[in-house]
Amino acid sequence: MKMIKTSLAMVTVFAMGLSTSALATGDAEKGQEIAAGVCAGCHGVDGNSIIPSFPSLAGQHSEYLLKQLMEFKADENGTAVRNNAAMTPMVAELSKADMENLAAFYASQERAPGKVSDNNDLVAMGKILYHGGNIENGVPACASCHGPTGAGIPPRYPAVAGQHADYTLAQLDSFNTGERTNDSKVMQQVLIRMSGAEKRAVSAYIQGMR
Ligand code: HEC
Ligand code: HEC
């Protein structure tokens, strides 16, 4: 009996290893338990948030998710690398293993397609910028780091496709003002020359990407 149980467990681990080979070492099932109890209210049961100011996490790379969770966590002096009043208390009690499990869970979920904006001019401007940048003011193409479909390039570059425009715009603004600084100044350099209209346009385009 004991033998059978052990081999079943091994098969399960092996099967999970296959389906999640691209992910970090976390246990998605354990992550789901924490997510259902603590995170679902804001980020949705499956990581697709329905509130535009709360980011969707479904389908995001586990490496990026883990990095964010670790950086939201304050050290003994109360200093965090990424500061947010909603997220700081959420990660305070999480261990590194909890964070790995949560990252594995959200990475295993599918991102629901975002709503395509009906402001065609705005979306068209965003599309040009996303794929080609702006030669005149030197804004680089977002696609070169976040990928042509917005799927991101793990481990460093997050997926952006389908994300709420409100959340995306808020992040662009906070990189721009230097409030969010966990990007090694990469995004800050991107945004230095970008106009407000360009930020709104690219955020609207990203929401409709799939
Ligand atoms: C009260 C609402 C709330 C709850 C509950 C909450 N979050 Fe968040 N979360 C937010 C907000 C708001 C942001 C955006 C922070 C910002 O603007 O920098 C965020 C951002 C994040 C991000 C960064 C996403 C990105 O694309 O960079 C991750 C990862 C995350 N949350 C994970 C979690 C996990 C895991 C839990 C449960 C342990 C959780 N959150 C619980 C509100 C919440
Ligand atoms: C040279 C590479 C590079 C380019 C070009 C670039 N990005 Fe980024 N971007 C990054 C990196 C790296 C991060 C992750 C920072 C971190 O680890 O927290 C990021 C993060 C982001 C985020 C935050 C995602 C989240 O879930 O919170 C958004 C939104 C974003 N980029 C949008 C854009 C847009 C729009 C453009 C084009 C105007 C762009 N990026 C161009 C490298 C790049």
Side-chain angles (χ1 to χ4, degrees):
M1 192 59 204
K2 210 173 183 184
M3 281 283 292
I4 294 172
K5 261 193 189 157
T6 314
S7 54
L8 265 180
M10 279 180 66
V11 169
T12 316
V13 167
F14 181 63
M16 275 182 52
L18 281 182
S19 62
T20 59
S21 55
L23 309 177
T25 49
D27 178 334
E29 266 174 51
K30 286 187 183 156
Q32 184 167 22
E33 272 170 41
I34 306 173
V38 190
C39 327
C42 293
H43 294 290
V45 174
D46 62 352
N48 285 294
S49 108
I50 50 170
I51 303 155
S53 56
F54 299 154
S56 284
L57 308 175
Q60 184 59 271
H61 310 300
S62 57
E63 296 90 342
Y64 172 80
L65 290 169
L66 179 61
K67 175 177 183 281
Q68 303 307 309
L69 290 173
M70 287 169 61
E71 292 180 347
F72 278 128
K73 189 159 178 167
D75 63 18
E76 316 80 69
N77 307 317
T79 317
V81 180
R82 181 173 175 184
N83 288 289
N84 180 262
M87 281 306 297
T88 307
M90 292 301 148
V91 295
E93 302 300 323
L94 297 181
S95 66
K96 172 112 189 277
D98 292 337
M99 292 180 184
E100 284 170 351
N101 297 341
L102 282 159
F105 166 64
Y106 286 118
S108 72
Q109 300 301 298
E110 201 171 320
R111 170 112 12 136
K115 189 181 170 292
V116 180
S117 161
D118 46 21
N119 187 335
N120 294 337
D121 292 344
L122 195 68
V123 173
M125 180 182 179
K127 183 176 184 177
I128 292 171
L129 200 65
Y130 186 91
H131 295 279
N134 182 346
I135 296 170
E136 275 167 37
N137 61 12
V139 174
C142 319
S144 58
C145 292
H146 296 285
T149 63
I153 307 171
R156 267 196 83 191
Y157 305 112
V160 292
Q163 187 58 273
H164 298 296
D166 283 9
Y167 171 76
T168 299
L169 184 58
Q171 297 311 304
L172 296 183
D173 283 337
S174 90
F175 283 127
N176 206 173
T177 58
E179 196 188 321
R180 179 170 169 184
T181 55
N182 66 337
D183 60 327
S184 313
K185 293 215 162 82
V186 178
M187 281 302 299
Q188 207 185 9
Q189 289 303 318
V190 169
L191 287 155
I192 245 162
R193 301 171 208 90
M194 235 170 131
S195 71
E198 285 180 323
K199 282 187 237 172
R200 283 192 298 280
V202 84
S203 301
Y205 173 66
I206 281 173
Q207 179 171 284
M209 287 180 91
R210 54 199 66 196

